[in-house]
């Protein structure tokens, strides 16, 4: 079995350096173009099926990559992005960062026991399959 992992195309929030998490932000025109180009580059790959997050940016990327091929696209919430709670929509990089919590960025590496990000999900749920410790 061969697996191909494809990240969703670009959204306006990507360009603005905003945290998306579970916010259902659509692809922008450039994101759609990139997804179509990815589909063209993979046109000779005989996909049997595609799994996608139920978020519109991921679903649309899968649709554009698959194109006119008759391939089932299955939504699976287990691969949806992690919820970032109150931080979703905030700019997280550069001088314009809107995140003032000094512990926030320790949330991403999953290198230890880290509290959930402002009413969001704990990274442990995704990184360690719900276990409390390594």
């Amino acid at each position: 079995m061969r697996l191909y992992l494809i990240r969703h195309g670009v959204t306006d929030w990507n360009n603005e350096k905003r945290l998306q998490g579970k916010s259902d932000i659509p692809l922008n025109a450039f994101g759609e173009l990139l997804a179509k180009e990815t589909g063209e580059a993979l046109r000779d790959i005989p996909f049997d099926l595609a799994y996608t997050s139920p978020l519109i940016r991921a679903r649309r990327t899968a649709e554009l990559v698959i194109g006119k091929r008759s391939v089932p696209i299955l939504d699976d919430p287990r691969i949806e992005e992690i919820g970032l709670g109150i931080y979703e929509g905030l700019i997280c990089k550069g001088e314009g960062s809107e995140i003032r919590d000094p512990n926030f960025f320790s949330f991403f590496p999953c290198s230890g026991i880290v509290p959930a990000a402002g009413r969001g999900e704990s990274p442990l749920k995704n990184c360690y399959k719900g276990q409390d410790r390594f």
Side-chain angles (χ1 to χ4, degrees), residues 53-118:
S53 155
L55 295 174
I56 194 168
R57 61 187 176 267
R59 175 74 186 195
R60 183 69 178 140
T61 299
E63 291 168 352
L64 292 169
V65 168
I66 295 301
K68 295 181 181 182
R69 292 182 270 189
S70 181
V71 174
I73 300 174
L74 307 174
D75 289 350
D76 190 331
R78 295 175 298 176
I79 58 175
E80 186 174 55
E81 288 193 45
I82 193 167
L84 298 171
I86 62 171
Y87 297 115
E88 289 190 16
L90 296 183
I91 295 172
C92 65
K93 291 183 182 177
E95 292 181 25
S97 178
E98 299 171 334
I99 298 175
R100 304 294 176 238
D101 180 351
N103 297 314
F104 175 77
F105 293 99
S106 64
F107 174 80
F108 291 99
C110 297
S111 60
I113 305 302
V114 181

